[in-house]
Amino acid sequence: MNKYKDIINLPHHVSKNHPRMSLNNRSAQFAPFSALTGYSEKIKETARITDKKIELDEGLKTVINNRLQIIKENIKSMPQVTITYFIKDPRKSGGSYKTIITNIKKIDEINKTITLIEGPKINIDDIINISKM
């Protein structure tokens, strides 16, 4: 007990050169070590749900092709349309569906794509619904 008698009542040292560390930063020094770095992100990615791509029957394909033909006949006016299409997920099988209202700039029947005024090119085979506004 008498071992620290000479220093026990001294005031706490405050450095003139280094600012005092915040409690948050100080406690971070003692946080547990994570040996499985990235594991929680992998679990979240695995749990993330994607949709399967809907395979259209011949009747719906005909309806979409007829609507595209009407839009193509009026392409000079860059018609505004509502399109619902499939977007393939870059990380896992499946993807998601997106509905947009946009103007069509070009329909390329050879490459089977639609070029929009703004946004991505859309593969015609990925469209499940299209309607002229």
Side-chain angles (χ1 to χ4, degrees):
M1 182 116 130
N2 293 337
K3 191 173 183 181
Y4 300 105
K5 185 177 170 183
D6 59 333
I7 62 169
I8 197 76
N9 291 321
L10 289 178
H12 180 73
H13 173 72
V14 178
S15 173
K16 295 176 185 174
N17 298 327
H18 303 288
R20 187 175 180 130
M21 186 181 286
S22 73
L23 235 96
N24 192 27
N25 288 342
R26 188 175 161 93
S27 63
Q29 294 180 72
F30 303 103
F33 171 72
S34 177
L36 300 175
T37 304
Y39 182 71
S40 62
E41 288 81 16
K42 292 279 187 190
I43 295 293
K44 286 178 188 174
E45 177 62 24
T46 302
R48 188 171 56 86
I49 297 172
T50 56
D51 296 323
K52 287 184 178 180
K53 185 176 180 183
I54 298 169
E55 294 300 323
L56 301 178
D57 62 21
E58 290 305 314
L60 283 174
K61 286 181 183 179
T62 302
V63 169
I64 290 172
N65 286 334
N66 290 342
R67 290 178 182 173
L68 286 171
Q69 191 59 40
I70 292 168
I71 292 166
K72 187 173 181 183
E73 290 168 3
N74 299 300
I75 201 73
K76 288 184 181 179
S77 65
M78 293 185 187
Q80 189 176 49
V81 296
T82 301
I83 303 175
T84 302
Y85 65 102
F86 184 77
I87 303 169
K88 185 172 176 5
D89 192 291
R91 296 187 196 138
K92 59 196 296 187
S93 66
S96 62
Y97 283 92
K98 183 175 184 178
T99 300
I100 58 172
I101 297 173
T102 187
N103 295 81
I104 293 180
K105 184 176 180 181
K106 178 182 172 185
I107 297 176
D108 183 350
E109 292 179 84
I110 295 170
N111 294 317
K112 297 182 89 175
T113 59
I114 294 176
T115 304
L116 309 175
I117 290 179
E118 291 180 9
K121 278 188 179 181
I122 298 174
N123 188 329
I124 291 173
D125 292 335
D126 292 337
I127 296 172
I128 63 164
N129 191 17
I130 185 165
S131 58
K132 191 173 173 187
M133 297 296 287

